[in-house]
Amino acid sequence: MAYTVPQIRSMVVSEAMRQGVDPALALAVAANESSFNPGATSRVGAQGVMQLMPATAKWLGVSDPYDPVQNIRGGVKYIKQLIGQFGDSRTAVAAYNFGPGNVSKGRKWPGETEVYVGRVMNSWNEYGGEYATPYPTITPTPLEKSSWTRPLWASTGTQPTARKLVVE
């Protein structure tokens, strides 16, 4: 079955929400990895929407990396695991690109990874993620400022309406 970019984006958002990952971060990774192309293969052999390497895909339980449902499920699971391992999204994104072993060993990120992390962070901002400017209609009270760094929708359990524009 052929999928449209809006369908792929919708799958990414749904899976991210199901797994408790910021949908904007998952969208940013998918956009920078494959431009939402389920048939993408990189020059080094990464496959599918989330550009999983074959060994990583197998480890994540993905039997068909070109099946967008499996690939997205595995890629979002991987992002979640990396955030848990490294404690912050920026380092997790670097590990997604450079490999968690390299990051754990404290190896200097190569230029390609630095560029990749910057692009993903910019995309995350554009999709409305953690680094985005808060929506102008919401002004925090002094009591809310302690949780100001979380995505605004995380505290209410509902996504802002503006996110729907990303997947339609």
Side-chain angles (χ1 to χ4, degrees):
M1 175 179 184
Y3 294 94
T4 65
V5 170
Q7 288 171 321
I8 297 293
R9 287 180 178 178
S10 181
M11 285 185 224
V12 171
V13 168
S14 295
E15 187 61 30
M17 291 177 68
R18 190 182 76 75
Q19 292 194 40
V21 171
D22 184 344
L25 176 59
L27 283 167
V29 170
N32 282 277
E33 287 289 345
S34 71
S35 299
F36 305 104
N37 180 357
T41 303
S42 76
R43 59 180 165 68
V44 296
Q47 302 166 320
V49 174
M50 303 298 285
Q51 288 291 280
L52 300 174
M53 292 299 288
T56 304
K58 185 176 179 181
W59 177 70
L60 292 165
V62 176
S63 60
D64 180 1
Y66 294 106
D67 173 359
V69 173
Q70 289 187 46
N71 188 284
I72 293 165
R73 183 174 296 130
V76 171
K77 179 180 179 180
Y78 194 38
I79 293 167
K80 183 175 183 168
Q81 288 175 350
L82 293 171
I83 292 169
Q85 180 177 350
F86 294 104
D88 73 275
S89 300
R90 184 176 180 81
T91 307
V93 168
Y96 195 95
N97 178 264
F98 187 41
N102 290 324
V103 173
S104 291
K105 292 174 186 170
R107 293 191 174 140
K108 184 178 181 335
W109 300 354
E112 175 186 324
T113 298
E114 290 283 356
V115 169
Y116 174 80
V117 169
R119 286 182 180 158
V120 171
M121 294 297 111
N122 286 338
S123 296
W124 190 11
N125 184 33
E126 290 171 16
Y127 286 119
E130 182 177 306
Y131 295 118
T133 304
Y135 293 92
T137 56
I138 300 173
T139 305
T141 65
L143 295 175
E144 292 173 321
K145 287 187 180 181
S146 63
S147 62
W148 192 246
T149 58
R150 293 184 317 192
L152 293 173
W153 59 269
S155 62
T156 63
T158 59
Q159 281 184 265
T161 315
R163 285 192 195 264
K164 291 184 180 178
L165 296 175
V166 174
V167 295
E168 290 182 11

